[in-house]
Amino acid sequence: MAKTTQRNIEAIYPLAPMQEGMLFHTLMAPRDGLYITELSCTLDGPFDSERLLAAFRHTLERHPALRTGFVWEKVEKPVQVVFREVDTVPFELVDVAHLDDDAQRHEIDQRIETSRQQGFDLKQAPLLRLMVFRVAAERHRLHWHLHHLVIDGWSLPIVLRDLFRSYLGAPAEPVPRPYRDYITWLKEQDEVAGERYWRELLAGFTAPTPLGVDRPVTAGGGRAEARARLTVEEMARVRAFAASRHITVNTVFQGAWAYLLSRLSGQSDVVFGTTVSGRPASLPGVESIVGLFLNTLPMRVEIDAATTVSDWLRELQSQQVGSRELEHVPLVSIQRSSEVPSGQTLFDSLLVFENTPIDQATDSLPSEISLHDLETGGHGNYPLMILGVPEGDSLLIRAKYDTARFDAISVEVLAEQLRAVMVALTTENELGDLALDATRPRHLELPRLDQPIQLEPQVPVAAQVRRFIEQTPDATAVAQGETSWSYRQ
């Protein structure tokens, strides 16, 4: 922890708008685990805990954001306080090598969950915690808990790289710019021009796009997750299609969700949230700054059945490029300037395509050290958050949802539908003629554009799923090798 004395304070400055929102939500629900970012990896090779702890301290010294706490009481507006030194570094070494595999996993999971529930005292620095589990003689599992207030996904490989460069005694790189330089840059931007751009983009949009598969809010909700996966062959098809049309895989991912959301809501004009890195190209050295730059922005998409997939996706990508110079505008300002009534959100679904260069952190390690199985995680505050996570040559779709709003079956079906739409978009068809693969287990065929799905809010989702199956009894339900069984069978 850092001593809160005048001599130990390095800087005091305002919060970025995204930080203000995160701080508010965290204080409103301190035990929900919102905005706790997780990073874990496996380290193979010789290990020295004292040397790693020293490297940990050195990494904190390099990055002021990691020595930052927050003050919101008895001040006009919340501020962040950077401390010069941190006395106590939250570092724990746990030996589980004597346990069998199942017992190891149980012990590690228990300790990680305890750390997650512990949360952070936001006034104290650092807002991070590192646990190292010794699982074998020369194998260790590292697990970080970090608060999103001081770090974003792009910052994670910077921190990891600096940690292991210091651990291995590599020459120090130039000291990066402090996060407060970004706050200064933000204050210099034209807020009026930014709000005008987003107001014009959202003109005529007056209510959040309904998700179509959720239900009235119930008490006692939590967070859960459903998954689907594009196979290596499917992902290769998506990548080849995107490259030939000069668009990104992220654009295909966004287009698939826009199409699916249109079908679920019955609306041809939809809005959902997307995340952007938020790192301005006009700020020199921004790529090496550790801090929170991430921003959440609305994406408005119109679905015209007569438009070809290629033209539609190119237009979608063009919209992203056009908004890049104004992606720093805070969501609260965008919402305030929109026509959506105060008290309502702009959107209930958030789309995240993970392109964080996390593997770059391992590029410079010597042969005797191996860092692998890198994983990141965490929860936001949106009812439905859908992540596209490249994993080797495939793509994992992770649908994180609020159990007070959704049941497991509906989100499992939704994730599988999104996979099918991504594959279906790799054609030159018009949007109204997409042919969707209905061969996977639990997949429900989507109607054509002129036949929007009509879900009944008061009817249990399981009953509606059963009704859909009854309408398509000959669709393939299960396949093994060359043998398949229909729903009727």
Side-chain angles (χ1 to χ4, degrees):
M1 299 298 176
K3 291 181 180 178
T4 310
T5 63
Q6 191 66 38
R7 293 183 59 185
N8 196 34
I9 293 177
E10 178 177 303
I12 300 176
Y13 50 90
L15 278 62
M18 190 70 169
Q19 288 178 305
E20 290 181 352
M22 284 188 179
L23 178 62
F24 173 79
H25 286 119
T26 302
L27 295 176
M28 290 295 291
R31 298 192 178 278
D32 284 2
L34 293 177
Y35 306 119
I36 301 296
T37 298
E38 300 184 37
L39 171 65
S40 58
C41 59
T42 297
L43 175 67
D44 286 341
F47 179 79
D48 185 328
S49 61
E50 291 299 321
R51 193 146 52 99
L52 184 65
L53 178 56
F56 191 5
R57 289 183 177 277
H58 181 256
T59 304
L60 294 182
E61 292 172 3
R62 282 180 57 82
H63 301 289
L66 302 183
R67 293 180 274 113
T68 296
F70 295 81
V71 176
W72 59 91
E73 297 174 332
K74 299 181 181 179
V75 290
E76 185 176 346
K77 291 193 68 176
V79 293
Q80 46 194 324
V81 179
V82 180
F83 296 96
R84 297 184 189 280
E85 296 180 355
V86 175
D87 293 334
T88 305
V89 177
F91 175 88
E92 182 180 11
L93 178 63
V94 183
D95 193 339
V96 295
H98 60 288
L99 303 176
D100 61 36
D101 290 348
D102 288 342
Q104 278 188 3
R105 281 193 292 270
H106 178 74
E107 179 68 15
I108 291 173
D109 289 347
Q110 286 275 73
R111 287 180 176 267
I112 289 174
E113 182 59 29
T114 299
S115 173
R116 184 186 297 117
Q117 292 181 1
Q118 181 181 344
F120 292 100
D121 179 354
L122 302 183
K123 298 176 183 177
Q124 295 290 338
L127 298 181
L128 67 160
R129 195 176 298 120
L130 174 60
M131 292 182 290
V132 179
F133 300 95
R134 179 177 179 270
V135 296
E138 291 197 343
R139 169 165 289 189
H140 292 75
R141 187 69 180 167
L142 280 62
H143 192 94
W144 298 71
H145 277 131
L146 314 96
H147 203 287
H148 220 334
L149 277 165
V150 297
I151 197 166
D152 60 14
W154 190 275
S155 301
L156 291 176
I158 301 173
V159 171
L160 206 56
R161 185 184 66 241
D162 285 353
L163 175 73
F164 280 99
R165 283 184 63 85
S166 178
Y167 176 73
L168 297 168
E173 295 182 330
V175 177
R177 298 183 71 163
Y179 182 66
R180 68 171 177 268
D181 287 1
Y182 168 65
I183 300 296
T184 300
W185 179 90
L186 271 180
K187 298 299 181 184
E188 297 170 349
Q189 304 312 301
D190 186 344
E191 294 184 14
V192 175
E195 291 182 11
R196 181 170 59 246
Y197 170 85
W198 290 106
R199 182 168 57 251
E200 292 173 355
L201 182 71
L202 295 171
F205 179 73
T206 59
T209 303
L211 298 176
V213 294
D214 55 343
R215 61 192 180 195
V217 178
T218 58
R223 303 298 297 190
E225 180 176 317
R227 296 187 173 197
R229 183 182 295 276
L230 273 76
T231 65
V232 172
E233 294 76 15
E234 290 170 339
M235 192 57 182
R237 182 173 160 183
V238 170
R239 284 195 174 113
F241 172 81
S244 67
R245 271 67 174 183
H246 306 290
I247 59 177
T248 64
V249 173
N250 183 22
T251 298
V252 180
F253 183 57
Q254 291 175 338
W257 177 241
Y259 178 94
L260 180 56
L261 184 58
S262 174
R263 303 289 54 76
L264 294 172
S265 65
Q267 299 180 0
S268 61
D269 183 6
V270 301
V271 173
F272 55 92
T274 60
T275 59
V276 293
S277 72
R279 292 177 179 251
S282 59
L283 180 61
V286 70
E287 69 282 349
S288 62
I289 301 176
V290 168
L292 177 63
F293 295 83
L294 185 77
N295 198 8
T296 300
L297 298 174
M299 173 162 270
R300 185 176 188 176
V301 184
E302 292 190 25
I303 295 89
D304 181 353
T307 303
T308 65
V309 169
S310 294
D311 288 344
W312 181 64
L313 290 176
R314 276 192 284 263
E315 183 179 343
L316 201 63
Q317 183 157 296
S318 178
Q319 177 186 328
Q320 297 176 65
V321 174
S323 64
R324 192 156 295 161
E325 293 300 316
L326 295 167
E327 65 181 22
H328 63 276
V329 180
L331 182 60
V332 64
S333 298
I334 297 174
Q335 179 150 349
R336 187 170 54 240
S337 61
S338 75
E339 298 172 34
V340 174
S342 176
Q344 291 192 46
T345 59
L346 277 173
F347 44 81
D348 287 333
S349 62
L350 177 66
L351 207 65
V352 181
F353 190 82
E354 292 196 349
N355 56 2
T356 302
I358 192 72
D359 291 335
Q360 292 180 10
T362 66
D363 289 347
S364 58
L365 293 181
S367 57
E368 67 267 21
I369 294 289
S370 171
L371 202 64
H372 55 93
D373 295 337
L374 277 77
E375 298 178 2
T376 59
H379 292 296
N381 68 317
Y382 288 94
L384 179 64
M385 184 167 67
I386 302 176
L387 297 88
V389 186
E391 289 191 346
D393 294 326
S394 67
L395 181 75
L396 175 65
I397 295 173
R398 303 174 61 186
K400 299 184 177 184
Y401 61 96
D402 183 351
T403 57
R405 289 278 299 272
F406 302 88
D407 62 46
I409 293 177
S410 64
V411 184
E412 287 173 7
V413 170
L414 181 146
E416 194 63 39
Q417 287 177 325
L418 182 58
R419 176 209 63 82
V421 175
M422 280 194 73
V423 176
L425 286 177
T426 60
T427 68
E428 271 302 337
N429 290 338
E430 295 179 349
L431 286 176
D433 294 324
L434 289 185
L436 300 179
D437 171 19
T439 63
R440 285 198 165 203
R442 299 191 308 278
H443 174 72
L444 305 181
E445 185 177 0
L446 290 172
R448 290 171 55 88
L449 278 169
D450 55 356
Q451 299 171 332
I453 291 176
Q454 296 295 331
L455 289 180
E456 303 170 52
Q458 302 307 318
V459 178
V461 171
Q464 297 183 63
V465 171
R466 186 163 54 249
R467 188 178 307 163
F468 282 131
I469 292 173
E470 290 170 352
Q471 292 171 358
T472 57
D474 296 317
T476 300
V478 180
Q480 179 178 359
E482 297 181 357
T483 304
S484 64
W485 294 267
S486 68
Y487 286 113
R488 187 197 308 275
Q489 291 171 313

